[in-house]
Amino acid sequence: MTIQRMDNVGIVVDDLDAAVAFFVELGMSVEGRAPIEGPWADQTVGLAGVRSEIAVLVTPDGHGRLELAKYLEPAASEMSPRNPPPNTLGFHRVMFAVDDVDDTVARLRGHGAELLGEIANYEDIYRLCYLRGPAGIVVALAERLG
């Protein structure tokens, strides 16, 4: 048995509206929003009394999806440290191919994004950067050159 596809990447956020706005600014569109609760939700995630709201965003090509979740009950717990460095074990980053790294970074800064380092040139093939977005999410951007 093989997998059919990667369906989505799920990320827990503390401000769903701000996270949605950030990823819409990046170029994704909202595919849907919904409240999530009930016995099936409890069983799936292994928590009791789950009440959350999710938003599913899709990339322009229709293949990549993010599921952003805001937990109302039980409340989300803080990661420690709040903004771990990129070499922390576990979830690392989400990378997006973009047309213009400089323009994208400038627009995302309007939504609170901060560069972790600098925009780097990789062998005149890509311009790359990491930035921290909502809820401490590390987002990588790649602009193909030439």
Side-chain angles (χ1 to χ4, degrees):
M1 175 61 87
T2 61
I3 62 172
Q4 296 174 354
R5 68 180 179 279
M6 188 182 88
D7 193 62
N8 68 60
V9 173
I11 303 173
V12 176
V13 298
D14 53 357
D15 185 336
L16 188 60
D17 291 332
V20 167
F22 178 90
F23 287 105
V24 166
E25 184 68 44
L26 184 57
M28 298 183 84
S29 58
V30 177
E31 189 171 64
R33 280 181 88 142
I36 303 295
E37 61 184 294
W40 69 270
D42 295 359
Q43 291 168 341
T44 301
V45 301
L47 295 171
V50 169
R51 280 189 333 102
S52 64
E53 183 183 359
I54 66 164
V56 176
L57 293 102
V58 63
T59 56
D61 67 2
H63 296 293
R65 285 178 175 70
L66 286 180
E67 179 181 296
L68 303 174
K70 164 128 177 103
Y71 276 81
L72 306 170
E73 294 292 331
S77 59
E78 286 286 331
M79 185 183 302
S80 181
R82 171 100 168 114
N83 291 318
N87 63 341
T88 302
L89 293 175
F91 180 76
H92 181 60
R93 54 131 175 95
V94 178
M95 179 175 265
F96 295 94
V98 298
D99 293 330
D100 183 334
V101 165
D102 296 309
D103 176 66
T104 304
V105 168
R107 288 185 296 107
L108 294 178
R109 279 189 167 140
H111 293 270
E114 298 177 8
L115 280 172
L116 294 183
E118 301 175 26
I119 299 172
N121 182 314
Y122 173 71
E123 297 183 358
D124 291 326
I125 300 170
Y126 286 100
R127 293 186 71 227
L128 305 163
C129 70
Y130 278 19
L131 51 92
R132 193 171 305 277
I137 302 165
V138 177
V139 174
L141 303 175
E143 173 189 348
R144 186 163 183 89
L145 299 174

